[in-house]
Amino acid sequence: TEHPFGHLIDTLRSEQYEERRYFNPQKLSDVRYENLPFCMRVLLESAIRKCDGFYIKTDDVSSILDWQMQQNQAEVAFSPARVLLQDFTGIPAMVDLAAMRDALAKQGVDPNLVNPRCHTDLIVDHSLQIDYKMELIRNKERLQFFKWCSKAFKNINVVPPDINTVHQVNLEYLCQVVQEGEGFIYPDSVVGTDSHTTMINGLGILGWGVGGIESEAVMLGQPVSLTLPQVIGCKLVGTINPLATSIDIVLGITKHLRQAGIGGKFVEFFGPGVQQLSAPDRTTIANMCPEYNATVSFFPVDDITLQHFKHTICSEEKLVVLEDYLKAIKLFKSYGDQSEDPQYSEMNLSSIVPHVSGPKRPQDRVAVTCMKEDFINCLNEKVGFKGFHVSKEKQATQVPFLHEGAEYNLAHGSVVIAAVISCTNNCNPSVMLAAGLLAKKAVEAGLTVKPYIRTSLVPGSGTVTHYLNTTGVLPYLRKLGFEVVGYGCATCVGNTAPLPESVVDAIKQGDLVACGVLSGNRHLEGRLCDCVRANYLASPPLVVAYAIAGTVSINLETEPLGVNSEGKDVYLRDIWPSKEEVNHTEENIVIASMFKELRSRMEVRDYNKSAESALFPWDPKSTYIRCPAFFSKLSKEVCAPQSIEGAYPLLFLGDKVTTDHISPAGSIARVSAAARYLQSKRLTPREFNSYGARRGNDAVMTRGTFASIKLQNRLIGKTGPKTLHIPSGQTLDVFEAAERYQRDGVPLIILAGKEYGSGSSRDWAAKGPYLMGVRAVIAESFEKIHRNHLVGMGIAPLQFLPGQNADSLELCGKERFTINIPQELTPRQHTGKSFSVTALFENDMDVAFFRHGGILKYVARSLLL
């Protein structure tokens, strides 16, 4: 049929390349189009090109064009150009597709029909597990499954092992800025199964993180539904402090934007200060936008971005096409032309000074000059987001211990983990070179790192190793213990090597607040190591500096890092590399040869050829890959939502229950339900691996759901992965209780407080409860992506009305719940008395149903009898 916006089609013509057709949104209205922020122009072009009258309608186009009037009101659909999967979230998505093929084959339907409709890239290497010898553990079964996927499914590109982590491959190889397909050229855009997919926004490519369930929907052709956001402009002015790294800049911007309250909004950067930022600097800043709760942090393409593309993705012809096209539809930014600048809030780069974040949350920033004082305050404060409540007489405690034949002392604030590690922010050449140059100067000055400190260097890219080695700084990092062990996520998700037993014993003996310092982006309590209570985020050079100091209880401005062989004090200022030195090294090392080497490695592979079978040959003995039960009851009949009768609460939770509490993550505890399952398969504890590695096995993942040692369950009144089986009164593992309820045919619900499901988006945080038999979650509020996941799995997200919660309704968590869900649901539908609670007393509740942000949401209101 004729395209509804066919009259907007233009042709790009040049003697240097073949003609290309494109949709020109300016033809709708020059004035309104030019008033749109650049990120909104990308949404508009996609809506025009993908308009089919079903998923995306002409009203969506009109709403985006009238963005200033429709922001925070109109709901629109967005079809990204591609989907990005990393291994931990990619494997369950691929397992689901393989299971869909099996289910269709059993229904007599051709299984080859199951393929992604949206181009999908899956990066095999991302999350690493480090063992006692700092070696990478890979699993043959997982790699064989990925290889089958690359051959069996159309429209999937699998990036094989030993290339790079997901974000670096996206930046260096997969991003095209301008895509070509279906006879048109159009802006590149992406959604990825990692909250830091936003890193790509630094290159002018619109992208953000979604959950695994949402990503599967996009893969299968459904657009992302979003409410038109506000777009907040952030004007950068002033001159960057020579001691400030890109990490300091992003932490300064994070603080500024968090105070501005930009949750769920798009941020677009402009102003003369942007021109001081290299393309890697911009990607580092864009990477951290989840930390200030923005959806997108967008840097439009400019001359600096084009220079970067010359070294990465572009042939000369592609570069010319890219520039001509972006200028033709006004997606190319001239930061020197103030006529393009809207009136936005202003931020002065000169105000930014080096900071770290911690000891428990990334939003708690501490100036390096105030670190010692702040840590002492943390010892004094009551237990909370910053406090540890250590009595005055115990704050000077020192515990001697032996390590490798030498005696050392541990105290409060001692650093026991120092990790230059992250799949994202340490891929910036400037901060990694700064760390390497600082290490070189430190070694030359005679400084060392104590051998008991668990150090590691896990860059996000092999390119980092290349330039660290070429510049000659890698040997100095090694001398300080920072040996490259692989590429991907490790310490920041708890995949660190175990601490020496003598260190653990000393920490426990003195009840010490030991510290970890890492250049990651997350450090939630308990993630790094159970016995390391204080964890700080820092830039890579500061990680090296604190490792040398051996403590965070130090003022790096006035106190020496250490003493050299001549007995002379060495201060941080003595070994800190200048910005000019770093920039000079970067300019002479980060050259096109690095990216050519990456491309040559990408071409040598056999991952994306034809498969022998359309159906995956499941191995019943496999403990890594298993066909899940999601489609076991697949029917050609359309089923209406079912009411919930006589449900018991599986858990009674409080506020801020994160996906770290819900979803299986990290190592598998030896006393867990998942461990008992693996032991039944004759595996030893050394073979357990991690939950992340076993995300393709629903039996392990279901048993690992709510298995966090930090889970606070009010049904049992203490921390741990236990709950009360209400009918029997027994305290059981959460999985075992759920299993018993399911055997008895009893549905389950979860009671919770505010911000249920916050933190990293994880599909198993919804899949696990579903397989446990959970039918509804009743909370005061939900994190949006997790709420989407619950709905996607068929779990009703029920929400108390404002001002009400389980306590105000006098719920003890031992009631039985009946929720009558009407057969037909419409937005804002009121269904009368359809929610009842039976216990020693009785509550009748109304359920209001309405639509918000594309998600069906239930609200329970108490009418206490």
Side-chain angles (χ1 to χ4, degrees), residues 621-636:
K621 297 180 181 179
S622 174
T623 57
Y624 281 93
I625 307 295
R626 197 176 102 133
C627 185
F630 299 127
F631 310 105
S632 59
K633 298 180 181 179
L634 183 68
S635 171
K636 294 182 180 180

Side-chain angles (χ1 to χ4, degrees), residues 375-392:
F375 181 74
I376 294 173
N377 289 337
C378 289
L379 294 180
N380 290 323
E381 287 185 21
K382 293 181 180 180
V383 175
F385 291 129
K386 284 193 66 105
F388 297 102
H389 197 54
V390 177
S391 62
K392 293 282 187 182

Side-chain angles (χ1 to χ4, degrees), residues 476-499:
Y476 296 96
L477 284 164
R478 288 173 179 158
K479 286 183 180 180
L480 295 180
F482 293 95
E483 182 79 40
V484 176
V485 296
Y487 307 97
C489 274
T491 304
C492 54
V493 291
N495 292 345
T496 188
L499 296 178

